[in-house]
Amino acid sequence: MSEKVVRPANSPIRNRVYVFGGFWLDASERVIKSAGRPLPVSPKALDVLVFLVENRGHIVEKQALMSKVWPETFVEENTLSFNISVLRKLLADSSTSPRYIETVPKRGYRFIAEVVENPADQLAAAQSNPEAPPANLNSTISVPGTMNDPEEVRSSFRRVYVSIAVVMVALIGFLIWRVPGKPKLPEKDAIVLADFVNQTGDSVFDGTMRQGLAIQLEQSPYLSLVSEQRVRQTLRFMRQPADVVTPELAREICHRTGSSAVLEGSITRLGSEYVLGLRATNCTGGEILDNQQLQVRRKEDVLGALTQIAHQFRSRMGESQASLQKHDVPLAEATTGRWRH
């Protein structure tokens, strides 16, 4: 097997976007996101991550990594080790049971997670030219009816591209963490719910996503949300508008109220699809307790997706299946049909 050419962290490759786990790494824009929100990370740590991701599956020697990230500068190995530690904390990774960055003793590091490269470009290409034959298909497509019928041929290619698009979106929207074996939140510990970040351009989702998630979680006898009254009161003490709970304000409210976790949500558009994200963070130590993404095909399916994400979150936080079965009314049955129009 030929040795892979190691690419530098500042390689001028266009549209360098990588999706792994619940993270979206845009190397061109120099940002990493989770649940649709940028994560705070130092420039050098981001360079290290980009370099590892672009050389995924291969050992990156320590000296090569330091030379590329700190060119013409002398740095010690502990500087590199510190940045690796920062990245593991950012990704909620572990050096003993790594899911993303594996240490290769006495040599260097290797990025081991599955990565989807430039998913939006691939999906956009399929959606913008649905009648063109797929470039990577070498086999003959069996078309019903006569092969001289142009409409039949176009219809066949459309079906192929729909299949490609569905697979690509599924790669982006899969749930990134398996259900844990033990509770991550003590029973009845308080949770602060932030406003959803609405990146769809559709104002119907403003405020309604947070309200819908609250309705789902309030059914749980295991979880406890900080009440709207207490949230508004705390915002007034902070001299902030009482009707806006940004993720930053939610974290501050969490500290001021002595709560345990912050729930941040997002909804975005990917072509004609909708992608929902949910992230729970321990507001004391910053540990990511849960991180989910789920994709649906229609606007009418958003309610069901929100119900599914809330159900999964409750399960991951330690609520029993018996409790979930007893106290889990689907959101579509508990709300009006305003999103259906």
Side-chain angles (χ1 to χ4, degrees):
M1 180 179 297
S2 60
E3 186 70 19
K4 180 178 179 181
V5 176
V6 176
R7 298 182 298 221
N10 59 355
S11 174
I13 298 175
R14 187 170 176 266
N15 295 330
R16 295 184 298 152
V17 176
Y18 308 95
V19 175
F20 52 89
F23 301 96
W24 179 287
L25 173 62
D26 190 327
S28 301
E29 296 295 329
R30 297 187 55 74
V31 64
I32 181 170
K33 297 180 181 180
S34 176
R37 298 183 183 83
L39 301 179
V41 61
S42 67
K44 290 301 183 184
L46 187 63
D47 284 341
V48 171
L49 179 60
V50 170
F51 191 75
L52 290 174
V53 169
E54 290 188 337
N55 296 281
R56 55 195 175 273
H58 293 260
I59 299 173
V60 179
E61 303 285 346
K62 292 180 181 179
Q63 190 56 52
L65 186 50
M66 290 188 291
S67 297
K68 294 299 182 181
V69 177
W70 292 273
E72 301 179 358
T73 302
F74 174 76
V75 293
E76 297 181 350
E77 278 193 17
N78 60 2
T79 300
L80 175 59
S81 300
F82 172 76
N83 281 273
I84 292 292
S85 177
V86 167
L87 290 174
R88 284 185 171 136
K89 184 175 181 180
L90 180 77
L91 303 175
D93 202 9
S94 166
S95 60
T96 55
S97 301
R99 290 178 296 167
Y100 300 108
I101 301 174
E102 176 187 46
T103 299
V104 182
K106 299 182 179 180
R107 294 191 60 184
Y109 303 94
R110 175 165 46 206
F111 196 85
I112 58 176
E114 286 193 23
V115 177
V116 178
E117 186 169 352
N118 292 334
D121 288 353
Q122 296 178 45
L123 181 58
Q127 291 178 332
S128 64
N129 194 11
E131 296 188 4
N136 295 327
L137 294 180
N138 297 319
S139 59
T140 303
I141 299 175
S142 176
V143 181
T146 173
M147 288 300 291
N148 295 323
D149 186 347
E151 184 57 38
E152 287 286 351
V153 175
R154 285 195 293 269
S155 177
S156 176
F157 285 134
R158 287 193 194 101
R159 288 194 294 270
V160 171
Y161 268 112
V162 167
S163 299
I164 294 173
V166 169
V167 170
M168 188 58 63
V169 172
L171 286 173
I172 298 172
F174 71 93
L175 300 177
I176 66 164
W177 272 306
R178 58 186 173 87
V179 177
K182 59 181 179 180
K184 289 190 175 183
L185 271 181
E187 186 171 355
K188 286 297 182 181
D189 267 23
I191 299 172
V192 178
L193 186 57
D195 289 332
F196 267 66
V197 176
N198 178 13
Q199 297 176 324
T200 66
D202 191 337
S203 61
V204 74
F205 295 115
D206 292 339
T208 54
M209 297 295 292
R210 180 175 184 267
Q211 181 183 9
L213 184 60
I215 290 172
Q216 278 298 108
L217 298 182
E218 284 171 350
Q219 297 181 56
S220 170
Y222 183 88
L223 302 176
S224 176
L225 296 184
V226 176
S227 69
E228 287 298 303
Q229 180 181 358
R230 194 175 184 194
V231 168
R232 288 194 296 268
Q233 184 182 43
T234 306
L235 286 171
R236 284 195 294 269
F237 286 149
M238 295 166 60
R239 298 183 179 180
Q240 296 289 339
D243 58 345
V244 177
V245 188
T246 65
E248 293 76 16
L249 289 176
R251 287 190 282 273
E252 181 64 22
I253 293 170
C254 192
H255 287 295
R256 287 174 177 254
T257 58
S259 302
S260 294
V262 171
L263 264 181
E264 307 170 35
S266 66
I267 180 167
T268 60
R269 288 285 295 272
L270 183 62
S272 60
E273 314 279 334
Y274 291 85
V275 180
L276 280 72
L278 185 70
R279 182 174 66 175
T281 308
N282 184 308
C283 43
T284 301
E287 175 194 3
I288 297 178
L289 305 175
D290 190 26
N291 200 352
Q292 302 183 51
Q293 284 187 332
L294 190 61
Q295 157 268 327
V296 293
R297 301 183 64 181
R298 304 177 306 157
K299 184 176 182 179
E300 292 81 359
D301 298 327
V302 169
L303 283 177
L306 194 57
T307 297
Q308 185 176 341
I309 281 182
H311 181 102
Q312 186 77 340
F313 172 73
R314 289 168 60 180
S315 176
R316 291 178 176 182
M317 293 306 102
E319 186 169 351
S320 68
Q321 289 301 311
S323 176
L324 284 166
Q325 291 174 5
K326 185 177 181 181
H327 306 284
D328 193 16
V329 178
L331 194 55
E333 298 178 16
T335 59
T336 65
R338 65 174 293 190
W339 295 354
R340 301 171 184 271
H341 303 288

